[in-house]
Amino acid sequence: MKTREDTAAHKAPKPKKPYSAPRLVKYGDLRQLTRGGNGRRGDMGGPGNNTRICWIAEVLYGADDPRTHLLRMWLVDVYSKTAIGSIVVALYKLFGRELSALVRRSFLLRRMLRPVFEAGLVRAHRYFISSTC
């Protein structure tokens, strides 16, 4: 005679959910990231146009990486409007392009600057997630 414990022990485990590949959940609104805020085309500046900053992020992550676009948008549209951010962004516009050439050639510089840009990504995520919720 089977007891309840015997029956419970022989039950098949519940089937697991089917596997689904990981996917990017939130970097902000893609249209806003790629076209810039307020209806302008923030990333598509031509030669001599300073709206296409984040040269170092392009070296660290790649020109088409969503992290580069997120940082670029956050720097131009959010951080540059703060007191400290306006100074940092102005200095970055002056020296960032030349510094990115050095970063491209130096593993040590990439290793030193990556945490700075990762911190910027965290702040950008927080800002854009809180502004969309």
Side-chain angles (χ1 to χ4, degrees):
M1 181 169 171
K2 290 187 180 180
T3 64
R4 265 191 199 169
E5 292 164 3
D6 291 338
T7 322
H10 294 291
K11 283 189 177 181
K14 291 182 180 179
K16 294 181 181 181
K17 289 198 280 187
Y19 175 77
S20 62
R23 61 186 182 90
L24 180 65
V25 175
K26 192 76 170 175
Y27 268 108
D29 180 36
L30 183 60
R31 286 175 294 195
Q32 191 178 18
L33 288 173
T34 56
R35 294 187 182 132
N38 304 324
R40 68 175 203 272
R41 298 177 186 253
D43 291 346
M44 296 304 178
N49 191 342
N50 282 334
T51 60
R52 188 177 171 128
I53 64 173
C54 264
W55 304 285
I56 296 173
E58 285 186 6
V59 171
L60 295 175
Y61 305 119
D64 295 326
D65 193 287
R67 294 172 292 188
T68 301
H69 295 291
L70 178 65
L71 277 169
R72 183 175 288 145
M73 183 176 171
W74 179 73
L75 279 173
V76 171
D77 292 340
V78 179
Y79 192 59
S80 66
K81 293 181 175 50
T82 66
I84 296 232
S86 63
I87 296 167
V88 170
V89 170
L91 289 171
Y92 191 72
K93 285 180 179 180
L94 286 174
F95 302 111
R97 195 177 306 240
E98 291 80 13
L99 184 58
S100 72
L102 294 173
V103 171
R104 188 177 312 279
R105 294 188 302 261
S106 170
F107 172 77
L108 182 61
L109 277 176
R110 283 193 305 273
R111 190 164 181 183
M112 289 171 47
L113 289 174
R114 189 173 292 270
V116 173
F117 282 79
E118 294 291 329
L121 278 170
V122 168
R123 291 184 68 185
H125 278 187
R126 282 187 196 144
Y127 175 82
F128 288 116
I129 288 173
S130 69
S131 67
T132 59
C133 293

